[in-house]
Amino acid sequence: MRDYDIIEADEALDIVLKHALPLTPRSVVLVEALDCVLAQDVIASEDLPPFPCSAKDGFAVIAADTTNPRRLVGEQMAGYIADLEVTPGTCVRITTGAPMPRGADAVIMVEYTQEAHGMITMQGHPVAPGADVRPVGQDITCGQRVLEAGMQLGPQEIGLLASLGQTAVVVYPRPRVAVLSTGDEIVEPDAQPRPGQIRDSNRYALMAAVQRAGAQPVSLGIGSDRQDELTDKIEEGLATCDAVISSGGVSMGELDLIKPILEGRGEVHFGRVNLKPGKPLTFATVDNKPVFALPGFPVSSLVSFEVFVRPALRKMAGQRLILRPHVPVTLAETIQGDAWRPEFHRARLTRENGTYMARTTGMQSSARLLSMVGANGLLVLPSQNKPFNAGETVTAILLEHPESEPYPPSWAKP
Ligand code: AMP
Ligand code: MG
């Protein structure tokens, strides 16, 4: 195995993002498009509304006609062409979304009318031409660029596409990401571990994190510490997915086989990063696909996923905004960092009087997943051999938005 220089986290992220490229766009049906990024502008091929129609339930009239009451000559419901004509002295009952009858140029809301013996009396103000009529193309005109490449598709964009009859759309696909756990001691969570064994938490945590990042996780199971088995698993991931994530097997131990396997198969770009947790983080490309060999300790693997893998997956998915917000936070208590390495310190952030306040999640051991449970921020603490004092300002990576409020007690009542 090669010797790896230790590089800084910024440099590592830079290298990762240079090698993680947007996937080739393809067409997907609308029900699969949520949260995907558009790869092409969308041009309307139709006007919307496609015919002049009523914006209200009421009566279609000629605005300039001052006859009152008017004679009701028929009904125009939405969804049909009743083939009626409005002439001076008459009106047609009309519902919201129904096509305007010939001759009519305005709608009087039903609330402003009284009906008796087939006659409609209008109360109050005269109506202006065009009142409560939606003309052709009022919302969208044919040829208009309605969505731009690079936009993420939310419910409203998907609705817009449906309204234009565009039932498939060209997007960057969600990256398929193979997730592998490694180690002779690792067993499935539903197994009863024998002496010396521990349950696999990393694959479950990482697959969930992949899903949250908008990508598609694919499990490669658990690979034991054998070169042939790990090689086969990684090959399977490369053959079926856009990226591979492994955890474990990248430290300095004798059975840390991942780095040599990747060296033999592609290019390893770095193998050690100056940070805590996650120092053995390794990044390679094989057949132009990113391979992230994350450290084995559960917190190390999840934090390095957050900081290095998630932005890469978002970039592959065509997203332009790939980094979590970095915000200044005030320490609500004194926090011990690390004397030698910059630390991503897990913290709970609260919003207090417009400021983010940070409290530690306690003991920051890389094995202690509880230090991540409930954490909504990572404090980016530079290495220093004295504590960070309460009241000091540091930078935090926002993992969740901390400002959401609990619902009021009245909503809890049955
Ligand atoms: P390694 O880098 O393979 O030496 O692993 C470092 C530590 O993380 C060891 O204590 C492993 O047992 C633990 N570990 C590795 N993989 C997992 C996993 N999938 N789930 C939980 N712990 C793990
Ligand atoms: Mg191991």
Side-chain angles (χ1 to χ4, degrees):
M1 181 171 76
R2 235 167 82 189
D3 263 352
Y4 288 92
D5 287 341
I6 191 155
I7 64 170
E8 297 303 317
D10 289 353
E11 193 189 338
L13 183 60
D14 193 60
I15 293 170
V16 166
L17 293 177
K18 276 194 181 120
H19 287 92
L21 301 178
L23 299 177
T24 307
R26 63 176 159 79
S27 181
V28 300
V29 293
L30 287 189
V31 289
E32 286 169 14
L34 180 64
D35 290 338
C36 290
V37 175
L38 263 185
Q40 294 177 349
D41 291 351
V42 173
I43 310 294
S45 51
E46 292 169 12
D47 290 318
L48 220 65
F51 50 85
C53 62
S54 177
K56 296 276 163 61
D57 291 328
F59 298 92
V61 298
I62 298 167
D65 175 19
T66 54
T67 317
N68 205 18
R70 291 173 170 91
R71 190 164 51 83
L72 183 62
V73 295
E75 289 183 345
Q76 172 64 68
M77 303 289 139
Y80 304 94
I81 301 289
D83 198 23
L84 294 168
E85 177 160 15
V86 175
T87 53
T90 72
C91 63
V92 163
R93 192 193 309 279
I94 194 163
T95 61
T96 307
M100 289 297 286
R102 279 192 313 283
D105 64 355
V107 171
I108 302 172
M109 284 167 67
V110 68
E111 290 89 331
Y112 294 152
T113 63
Q114 263 179 354
E115 183 173 353
H117 314 297
M119 299 299 286
I120 306 298
T121 305
M122 180 187 170
Q123 302 160 338
H125 345 274
V127 69
D132 283 327
V133 176
R134 296 170 54 220
V136 169
Q138 182 182 53
D139 300 338
I140 291 173
T141 52
C142 183
Q144 183 182 348
R145 184 170 62 168
V146 285
L147 299 175
E148 277 180 44
M151 286 179 86
Q152 184 176 351
L153 295 175
Q156 53 274 48
E157 288 77 24
I158 287 173
L160 189 78
L161 289 161
S163 72
L164 291 168
Q166 306 210 8
T167 53
V169 62
V170 179
V171 298
Y172 296 94
R174 276 175 231 284
R176 285 170 53 84
V177 183
V179 182
L180 170 67
S181 287
T182 72
D184 285 341
E185 76 281 30
I186 308 299
V187 295
E188 286 289 350
D190 61 1
Q192 184 55 53
R194 292 196 307 271
Q197 296 184 326
I198 58 157
R199 295 194 181 92
D200 184 3
S201 65
N202 290 354
R203 191 159 39 101
Y204 291 86
L206 291 168
M207 286 176 64
V210 164
Q211 212 174 333
R212 273 253 165 113
Q216 257 178 282
V218 176
S219 176
L220 291 176
I222 302 167
S224 56
D225 290 319
R226 283 176 30 207
Q227 171 121 14
D228 53 349
E229 183 168 335
L230 293 177
T231 304
D232 286 353
K233 294 265 186 197
I234 291 170
E235 290 297 346
E236 182 188 338
L238 289 165
T240 56
C241 292
D242 304 303
V244 178
I245 302 174
S246 67
S247 68
V250 283
S251 336
M252 307 301 279
E254 218 152 272
L255 286 178
D256 289 324
L257 301 164
I258 300 284
K259 279 187 177 95
I261 290 173
L262 295 175
E263 284 163 11
R265 194 50 183 83
E267 189 180 350
V268 179
H269 302 283
F270 57 81
R272 287 200 302 161
V273 184
N274 186 28
L275 59 86
K276 188 184 168 190
K279 185 166 116 185
L281 172 67
T282 297
F283 174 66
T285 42
V286 180
D287 303 339
N288 290 319
K289 293 183 179 179
V291 180
F292 300 90
L294 308 184
F297 277 121
V299 176
S300 313
S301 61
L302 259 191
V303 169
S304 34
F305 178 93
E306 253 310 318
V307 179
F308 302 96
V309 185
R310 184 180 179 278
L313 298 184
R314 288 180 64 83
K315 189 175 169 215
M316 292 168 76
Q319 298 278 2
R320 310 258 159 107
L321 304 176
I322 59 175
L323 297 181
R324 300 268 201 197
H326 286 53
V327 297
V329 302
T330 306
L331 301 184
E333 58 192 13
T334 295
I335 290 180
Q336 187 70 51
D338 188 272
W340 306 106
R341 281 182 284 160
E343 183 183 43
F344 291 106
H345 192 106
R346 283 77 75 195
R348 270 188 277 280
L349 308 180
T350 52
R351 195 101 170 117
E352 293 169 30
N353 302 320
T355 309
Y356 290 110
M357 301 299 293
R359 292 174 180 80
T360 179
T361 54
M363 209 248 289
Q364 298 285 298
S365 153
S366 310
R368 184 174 172 261
L369 260 188
L370 271 180
S371 74
M372 282 215 81
V373 169
N376 55 3
L378 293 176
L379 307 181
V380 186
L381 301 179
S383 59
Q384 78 176 29
N385 58 8
K386 57 182 174 55
F388 295 83
N389 294 318
E392 270 188 60
T393 298
V394 300
T395 297
I397 301 173
L398 278 189
L399 303 178
E400 306 270 340
H401 291 292
E403 56 263 63
S404 61
E405 295 283 332
Y407 58 77
S410 61
W411 295 355
K413 287 184 191 141

